[in-house]
Amino acid sequence: MYVRHLGLRDFRSWAQADLELEQGRTVFVGPNGFGKTNLIEALWYSSTLGSHRVGIDAPLIRTGNSRAVISTIVVNEGRECAIDLEIATGRANKARLNRSPVRSTREVVGVLRAVLFAPEDLALVRGDPADRRRYLDDLATVRRPAIAAVRADYDKVLRQRTALLKSLSRARHRGDQGALDTLDAWDSRLAEHGAELMAGRIDLVNQLAPEVEKAYQLLAPGSRPAWIGYRASMDGLGAEGTDREFLEAALLAALSVRRDAELERGMCLVGPHRDDLELRLGDQPAKGFASHGESWSLAVALRLAAYELLRADGSEPVLLLDDVFAELDTTRRRALASVAEAAEQVLITAAVIEDIPSGWDARRVYIDLRDEDSGRVSAVQG
């Protein structure tokens, strides 16, 4: 799989871009702030419908405009597929596949299968649980696009149930049984969608675990062994952890136990939105105990494990390396470079060409800034 064309309109710092890309390695070279990372971000958005830098879409639209457009042409086993995404202000985003509109933008997920390495990856180890949940959900969605609908359904139920919890505090003290019966109905829906999302995550973690252990050993052979596991917001998960009926019943039981606390606080305290990907080195949690080098090794190991799972699915993913070589020491650079050498397409950003491993044969695309009436915009040097 590789990306043959990337087109941008009013995306971040790019007023317009039309890049013809090739198999093999391409390096986007330019000083920090010139817009090279925005190219990688656009490709990642085409793959996952999300940015690796921000949690909302509004910053992706160039200042002074109401929409941004990302267009890619992906080649997979000789067949081309065009993806067009329109990111809009104040209305729903739109998507087209092969120039035909689709009912939901989620239908484009999985067409471009990519793995991203970026400086932000350190948050996978040192950041909040939300960063690790997003890692799992993005990978699960790329491998099985139907997960996108599961996530959307769960998020919708979560928002509505949370709003109900906030409004029920007074009703609870009045003994309004009708309102509490409504909460029972939302509990059932939360458990239904939550169980499906959790089952997908737990299955994914079980597949990732041996790959993470192996990749970490490659990156840090003298360090403690790495271990990952799924930590749920409820107790009692065992071997039945991927059984949806078991998870649904466990979620309902946990919601019942925590109901008073939820009503008191006006928030949902149980469910996959409060779960975490547990990371350990030896007997210690990685967060708070891992050194800077160990944290980087574990973060890169998580991405390498994702790459191996996608390859095992039968499709070579596109590798996106966003200024990551500058963050790694010699050992980690060498390990990542060895993986990248075998990839069908690698797209890399670098502030200076010296950040790229020596001896790499790579096409170079230099990024510059130019002044226009609407302000400074990114451009490819002619």
Side-chain angles (χ1 to χ4, degrees):
M1 175 177 290
Y2 67 98
V3 179
R4 183 178 69 75
H5 178 83
L6 172 64
L8 300 178
R9 300 294 182 274
D10 295 318
F11 181 86
R12 288 284 198 180
S13 60
W14 291 85
Q16 180 173 334
D18 283 292
L19 296 172
E20 296 300 323
L21 302 174
E22 303 170 355
Q23 293 169 281
R25 295 183 287 266
T26 298
V27 184
F28 301 112
V29 187
N32 293 331
F34 274 41
K36 59 187 185 299
T37 288
N38 299 339
L39 301 173
I40 298 296
E41 184 179 27
L43 290 166
W44 185 243
Y45 193 96
S46 293
S47 177
T48 66
L49 298 183
S51 163
H52 68 290
R53 302 156 80 191
V54 293
I56 57 175
D57 288 350
L60 307 181
I61 303 173
R62 193 165 68 94
T63 302
N65 293 273
S66 59
R67 66 169 196 156
V69 175
I70 306 171
S71 299
T72 55
I73 298 176
V74 180
V75 181
N76 187 11
E77 296 182 349
R79 297 187 299 272
E80 291 193 349
C81 185
I83 308 169
D84 295 289
L85 289 165
E86 181 182 307
I87 305 167
T89 300
R91 56 184 174 84
N93 295 341
K94 297 179 181 179
R96 291 186 297 168
L97 276 177
N98 289 327
R99 314 308 178 199
S100 298
V102 295
R103 288 179 297 177
S104 169
T105 55
R106 294 194 298 267
E107 294 184 37
V108 309
V109 175
V111 175
L112 170 58
R113 295 160 70 90
V115 175
L116 169 71
F117 296 79
E120 289 81 3
D121 286 348
L122 202 57
L124 294 176
V125 180
R126 295 185 167 180
D128 295 330
D131 296 305
R132 292 179 285 277
R133 289 194 296 267
R134 185 167 65 170
Y135 161 79
L136 290 177
D137 290 344
D138 283 348
L139 177 57
T141 300
V142 169
R143 297 184 74 205
R144 188 175 146 223
I147 290 289
V150 176
R151 292 170 65 184
D153 289 341
Y154 180 80
D155 289 342
K156 182 178 179 180
V157 171
L158 177 63
R159 288 193 301 270
Q160 292 172 323
R161 186 177 183 274
T162 300
L164 181 61
L165 283 170
K166 290 178 179 178
S167 69
L168 277 181
S169 180
R170 289 187 298 272
R172 172 171 171 256
H173 294 301
R174 292 198 311 264
D176 187 343
Q177 188 58 46
L180 295 177
D181 288 344
T182 302
L183 185 57
D184 286 338
W186 284 111
D187 285 359
S188 296
R189 296 186 64 184
L190 187 87
E192 176 190 355
H193 296 303
E196 188 172 2
L197 182 56
M198 287 180 66
R201 286 180 180 174
I202 294 169
D203 180 60
L204 176 59
V205 171
N206 290 340
Q207 294 180 61
L208 279 169
E211 296 296 340
V212 170
E213 182 180 0
K214 183 169 58 177
Y216 186 80
Q217 179 65 25
L218 173 69
L219 292 162
S223 181
R224 300 162 287 173
W227 177 90
I228 68 170
Y230 193 77
R231 186 167 66 210
S233 58
M234 57 192 188
D235 298 325
L237 288 188
E240 309 94 335
T242 57
D243 182 83
R244 281 165 49 181
E245 290 186 4
F246 170 82
L247 288 171
E248 187 172 344
L251 278 168
L252 281 171
L255 288 167
S256 177
V257 169
R258 301 299 299 276
R259 173 165 287 191
D260 285 344
E262 288 190 327
L263 287 168
E264 188 69 30
R265 297 177 61 179
M267 64 173 59
C268 189
L269 302 176
V270 177
H273 65 288
R274 298 184 70 88
D275 295 352
D276 199 358
L277 175 63
E278 187 175 2
L279 309 176
R280 301 186 71 85
L281 293 178
D283 296 328
Q284 293 179 315
K287 185 175 181 179
F289 289 90
S291 69
H292 184 74
E294 288 174 328
S295 296
W296 258 118
S297 291
L298 190 49
V300 174
L302 287 167
R303 294 299 189 189
L304 288 175
Y307 176 70
E308 291 302 329
L309 287 194
L310 288 173
R311 288 186 68 204
D313 290 340
S315 178
E316 189 82 19
V318 175
L319 276 186
L320 307 174
L321 308 182
D322 181 20
D323 210 21
V324 71
F325 283 118
E327 301 285 341
L328 303 178
D329 63 19
T330 302
T331 300
R332 297 173 183 87
R333 283 165 61 106
R334 189 180 301 118
L336 181 54
S338 67
V339 172
E341 284 173 357
E344 184 173 0
Q345 185 179 48
V346 189
L347 302 171
I348 312 137
T349 67
V352 292
I353 202 65
E354 287 75 21
D355 286 341
I356 303 303
S358 59
W360 261 27
D361 179 21
R363 176 192 177 203
R364 302 180 186 183
V365 177
Y366 290 90
I367 308 301
D368 205 347
L369 287 176
R370 68 177 183 222
D371 292 316
E372 291 192 349
D373 292 341
S374 59
R376 303 197 83 187
V377 298
S378 299
V380 174
Q381 286 186 9

